[in-house]
Amino acid sequence: TLTSKKMASNVTNKTDPRSMNSRVFIGNLNTLVVKKSDVEAIFSKYGKIVGCSVHKGFAFVQYVNERNARAAVAGEDGRMIAGQVLDINLAAEPKVNRGKAGVKRSAAEM
């Protein structure tokens, strides 16, 4: 049955190092078009998602372990979804500006 499929929780903000290392930041996301279910569908192929939260223009996906998170970053960074190129990295390791146009927010501002 469809009802037994457990949705990932919205909790992606735990600050313990283990969950930081297994959390993926998805930036430049067209959240007018892309929904939480879409994010989960794309990223679930890299491992079990325990949390997913979608915000205006970005999202976080929380995996069970760091290996899943790194695989997702490697596999999806730079992918185009809904006309925008995703900017993906581990939440624990923000990318220092890679010379891309556009202003990167510092971790302190987020």
Side-chain angles (χ1 to χ4, degrees):
T1 58
L2 287 170
T3 50
S4 64
K5 184 176 180 289
K6 189 176 170 299
M7 290 291 285
S9 82
N10 283 314
V11 180
T12 57
N13 58 357
K14 294 209 284 297
T15 52
D16 61 278
R18 207 174 56 94
S19 49
M20 283 292 285
N21 284 338
S22 54
R23 183 177 321 137
V24 176
F25 169 78
I26 304 148
N28 200 35
L29 187 66
N30 186 346
T31 47
L32 295 172
V33 178
V34 182
K35 301 288 168 254
K36 181 176 180 230
S37 56
D38 301 321
V39 174
E40 288 182 22
I42 293 161
F43 286 88
S44 61
K45 63 174 177 269
Y46 297 99
K48 181 171 162 44
I49 294 175
V50 292
C52 178
S53 59
V54 176
H55 311 269
K56 190 175 192 296
F58 65 97
F60 284 104
V61 171
Q62 181 76 58
Y63 284 102
V64 178
N65 63 45
E66 183 178 342
R67 200 179 68 236
N68 299 148
R70 288 191 183 278
V73 170
E76 299 297 321
D77 187 30
R79 170 181 177 148
M80 185 177 284
I81 295 181
Q84 293 181 202
V85 176
L86 301 185
D87 181 27
I88 303 176
N89 52 279
L90 286 184
E93 300 175 4
K95 289 189 187 113
V96 192
N97 63 26
R98 294 177 301 176
K100 249 203 263 180
V103 179
K104 280 272 187 234
R105 287 177 304 183
S106 72
E109 292 172 68
M110 285 179 65

